[in-house]
Amino acid sequence: MTPRAWWLFALCSAIWGVPYLFIRVAVDAGVPPAFIAWARVTLGAALLLPLALRRGALPTLRGRGRAIAAYAACEIAVPFVLIAIGERYISSSLTAILVATMPLFVALLSVRLSPADKPTGLRLLGLVIGFGGVVALLGVDVAGRPDELLGAALALVATLGYATAPIIVSRRLADLDPLGPVAASLAVSAVALLPAVFASPPHAIPASALWAIAVLGVVCTALGLVVFFQLIAEAGPSRASVITYINPLVAVLLGVVVLDEHLGPTSVAGLVLILGGSWLSTGGRIPFTSENGK
């Protein structure tokens, strides 16, 4: 890890730890979830499409329309809306903790889609531990409260989409400049979400919500993806993926400090179990060390 890689890692971890806070700000201001998602992806597309055009990354997408549409649905359009709806019912902290189960879903999907990579031994134990954390959260923290259970379910369905997206990339888009598929997927998502926006248009949006949506689009979406691409180029995809274990910590800290959300013992235990189980389910490796310890 070079000094530049460490800076990119810290920046990316922070950028992708803050969306839950700003989504909550916009939701609490009464902005429809579909509009939050649409405005976010439209801003991201407006910023990234010119970069993709300049790099010549868009012409290479010819013949990949289905893969782009599937990636857009799983990584952007559906999760962004579901998480915004979910945060109507659950805290930003709990949302971030549930989204941290993404590596668990990746390992679980590999049982069906990649039998050669089927979790066994410690990886299987990691799945049990991680989903035990989810059961603890749903069975104790939100048990008996239907609205919160709905919010948690929406967050988990969104996370399943996030876990499916890398499989689509690895099978159909891995040979392309990543900026092309991402910019195109943002544009596709912006168009796909328009009917939902027309069905539930926003009314007067307060300044706080406008600022929150601007941060979501410019910082959390466009800048976040660019920084992540640079981190992958500098440190490799394995090391870059470690941000999965850091963003929920950032999100939980912001939820507690900025939004005054309560984080009970069960939530803390659930977060520890989910992160520990995720680490084991992905092989229990420390990506910051290579074979020779450097």
Side-chain angles (χ1 to χ4, degrees), residues 72-101:
C74 293
E75 178 72 15
I76 301 169
V78 175
F80 283 12
V81 174
L82 292 182
I83 287 174
I85 297 173
E87 286 203 39
R88 284 178 162 179
Y89 309 112
I90 60 176
S91 67
S92 67
S93 302
L94 180 56
T95 303
I97 292 172
L98 292 171
V99 174
T101 59

Side-chain angles (χ1 to χ4, degrees), residues 135-171:
V135 171
L137 287 172
L138 300 184
V140 178
D141 263 17
V142 300
R145 296 189 289 274
D147 286 351
E148 292 189 20
L149 282 172
L150 172 61
L154 292 172
L156 288 173
V157 173
T159 307
L160 179 60
Y162 285 144
T164 306
I167 298 173
I168 297 171
V169 171
S170 66
R171 293 190 173 190

Side-chain angles (χ1 to χ4, degrees), residues 4-5 16 35 38 70 72 109 115 120 127 150 174 181 190 205 214 218 223 245 249 269 285-286 292:
R4 182 172 184 269
W16 281 356
F35 182 83
W38 174 81
L109 286 171
T120 56
L127 277 176
L150 172 61
I205 302 177
V218 176
L223 179 61
Y245 307 109
L249 302 178
R285 296 182 295 273
I286 303 176
N292 58 8

Side-chain angles (χ1 to χ4, degrees), residues 176-243:
L176 304 176
D177 181 342
L179 191 57
V182 170
S185 298
L186 286 170
V188 168
S189 299
V191 174
L193 289 173
L194 271 177
V197 173
F198 290 139
S200 180
H203 300 294
I205 302 177
S208 60
L210 288 175
W211 278 109
I213 291 171
V215 172
L216 285 169
V218 176
V219 178
C220 301
T221 303
L223 179 61
L225 288 168
V226 170
V227 171
F228 189 57
F229 293 158
Q230 293 179 346
L231 176 60
I232 291 173
E234 187 75 21
S238 177
R239 290 172 176 148
S241 68
V242 179
I243 63 167

